Amino acid sequence: MQSDTYIPRRLDDQWKLGFWDADVAFPFVFFLFLGWMSGTKWGFVLCAGAGFFLSRWISRTKADKHPAFAMHWAYWALPTNPATAMRATPPSHIRRMVG
């Protein structure tokens, strides 16, 4: 009973890529890859800049909101398909719940 038990303080932390949340870092990394695939220096610079500004926009949109704001937005705003439909929750197009 006196064994040293570890109790984690944060169970629901967002996924991180270095210091950044994954949903903020993903657009920059994706656009960086697109710029690298373009094969030109200007294409790389333009794609890196677009990815940077998109990441900043997402970061500012998420500021002072729930940590899972991006997942909540995706559930309510994006269309469902059989691959992304959840069984435990009702479809997102049903806005009014009775009961």
Side-chain angles (χ1 to χ4, degrees):
M1 292 301 239
Q2 296 297 328
S3 64
D4 185 25
T5 59
Y6 172 72
I7 300 173
R9 292 187 306 183
R10 298 178 303 266
L11 293 175
D12 297 328
D13 275 354
Q14 294 290 319
W15 290 4
K16 299 277 188 186
L17 185 65
F19 293 114
W20 301 281
D21 291 340
D23 54 353
V24 173
F26 176 73
F28 180 71
V29 172
F30 179 73
F31 275 90
L32 207 64
F33 177 73
L34 283 181
W36 177 67
M37 291 296 291
S38 72
T40 64
K41 290 179 185 177
W42 280 108
F44 183 78
V45 169
L46 289 175
C47 287
F52 175 76
F53 285 115
L54 183 61
S55 293
R56 293 285 299 167
W57 178 77
I58 291 171
S59 169
R60 289 179 184 199
T61 303
K62 281 181 44 174
D64 298 331
K65 291 188 172 80
H66 189 272
F69 170 75
M71 289 176 37
H72 294 170
W73 178 85
Y75 173 75
W76 287 108
L78 298 178
T80 59
N81 60 34
T84 62
M86 293 185 252
R87 295 183 197 168
T89 59
S92 63
H93 67 275
I94 298 176
R95 302 288 183 177
R96 184 170 224 171
M97 302 287 275
V98 177

